[in-house]
Amino acid sequence: MKAFRVTREFPLALRLLLINQFGIDIGFYILVPFLAAYLGQELGMSDALVGLVLGVRNLGQQGLFLLGGSAADRLGPRAVIIAGCALRTLGFSLFAFGSTLPVVLGASLLNGLAAGLFYPAARAYAALEAKDRKAEVFALLNAYATIGSLIGLLLGSVLIRTDFRVCAVAAAGVYGLMTVGQALVLPERETPAAVRSTTVLGDWLEVFGNRRFLLFSLATTGMFTVENQLCLLLPAGARQASGWEGAAGVLLGAGAVANLFQMPVTRALERHGGGQRWVGAGLVVMGLGFLPPLLICADGPPEGMREVVPRMLVMLAGSLLLYLGTMVAHPAVLEMIPRFGRETLAGTYFGLFYVFAGLTAAGGNAVVGWTMDTAKRFDCPWLPWTGCVAFGLSSALAVAVLHRTRLLPERGGVPVVEGTVIRPGPPERTHATAEAAPGPAGPGAEAVGPWEVGHRDRARLPGPVRAADDATDQPPR
């Protein structure tokens, strides 16, 4: 439970964002996992119409990520977060009180638009408030989201036994509470003057022109493809291995327990060079999570518990490796995003990144689904699992190349070593200081300068000159 204790160390705004992430995932998973069955079985829609309704939600979400990020930069993330939660409250309410195709399509679209507004704005707000503790905040967001999703699934599986509309009302109620809580408590952030002096088109051109950021977004696409298999390939493998429809819940429950250790993992990485050094390793672990299922993917239906237990242990091992890799890589990836450019464009950077992530998740799931069908048709059950291993390892290789070629942003800050403060910028050279502590002789003396004598005779060494804040195209140091 260290994640809950660490939460109290952060200011009120961040604590509320973490609670909101928890509530938002509860509300989402109360309803959305059961939506397709409701549309097809209770409303009698064809598979094509079900796909249309679900596709409209994804389309609205992907289409608004960039706009939502820009709105967060210009209007302030608070207003956009509140608007996103309010829209989802309305969307889930429509599912409860309407069953015609136009109403269901409208509800699905509103839910997609809400996500497109909320996610980039919430991540931008968290990045701006967290300052030098971004990795910890994004780690906590990941932990709260996972635990909230598990609780939402459990609640939804109970409520769906009564009526789908009960699930919709419960989900809308959760989002309504989140909307009111944010409106009452979440502090407003002042919009910087630098943002007001530019245009939205100019902001987009700046972000799209950031080649390092685009390369990074493309390099991490494998992460989202692999991560989404917690909802597609791994549940299918668990059902096949155990012959039990509820086997996927065991994997999700184990993942929720594993995420309770998110903060110790993140802090250990921070003590050993920061998450940036470990993104590639995390992606490797995510890819290797699909190796254990290769041991049993060709087996037939199990015969009794004697076969079910060892097979489920194999599936648990694979899913836990995937969760561990996600715990290493995901917070570090999100922590790096706002450091690719100006801090005042954090929302736009997150918005574009989520566009890449969403398109990748959709395309990757389509590829994995195709490999699953192909594996059944040609009797090659290993195909989807090796494909996911390839996704994870190729993404890790791409990130490693970016890190090796110094195309990833490095952290700023003033290093402090054993009481000696290294000051950013050239030292102030005064006549009194020069007399008190003459600098070293030689041609480089004027450039280096003397040691400055601080309070209690503690020496302060001059540091390298810091690049200007607006020099966004400077290579990483």
Side-chain angles (χ1 to χ4, degrees), residues 367-381:
V367 172
V368 173
W370 176 80
T371 60
M372 292 170 70
D373 291 337
T374 304
K376 294 175 182 176
R377 187 178 305 117
F378 296 100
D379 193 24
C380 48

Side-chain angles (χ1 to χ4, degrees), residues 309-361:
V309 172
R311 290 186 186 185
M312 282 302 297
L313 288 176
V314 171
M315 295 304 301
L316 273 174
S319 65
L320 288 176
L321 281 174
L322 180 54
Y323 275 108
L324 176 60
T326 303
M327 290 161 64
V328 172
H330 204 157
V333 167
L334 295 182
E335 187 259 343
M336 274 192 281
I337 291 171
R339 292 195 277 116
F340 276 97
R342 290 188 288 126
E343 186 180 75
T344 52
L345 288 182
T348 306
Y349 275 98
F350 274 108
L352 182 57
F353 183 80
Y354 277 118
V355 169
F356 277 106
L359 294 175
T360 298

Side-chain angles (χ1 to χ4, degrees), residues 133-164:
R133 299 185 69 181
K134 292 181 179 64
E136 293 185 33
V137 169
F138 287 124
L140 285 172
L141 284 171
N142 185 40
Y144 275 88
T146 304
I147 298 170
S149 64
L150 177 62
I151 293 175
L153 279 172
L154 294 175
L155 289 175
S157 62
V158 172
L159 295 176
I160 197 65
R161 297 179 181 273
T162 57
D163 188 10
F164 177 82

Side-chain angles (χ1 to χ4, degrees), residues 389-411:
V389 172
F391 275 126
L393 296 185
S394 61
S395 188
L397 177 61
V399 171
V401 170
L402 292 180
H403 180 69
R404 187 77 174 178
T405 55
R406 300 181 60 82
L407 290 176
L408 298 181
E410 295 184 3
R411 291 180 178 175

Side-chain angles (χ1 to χ4, degrees), residues 37-51:
Y38 166 71
L39 297 174
Q41 297 172 12
E42 295 193 31
L43 299 188
M45 292 185 180
S46 65
D47 290 342
L49 286 179
V50 172

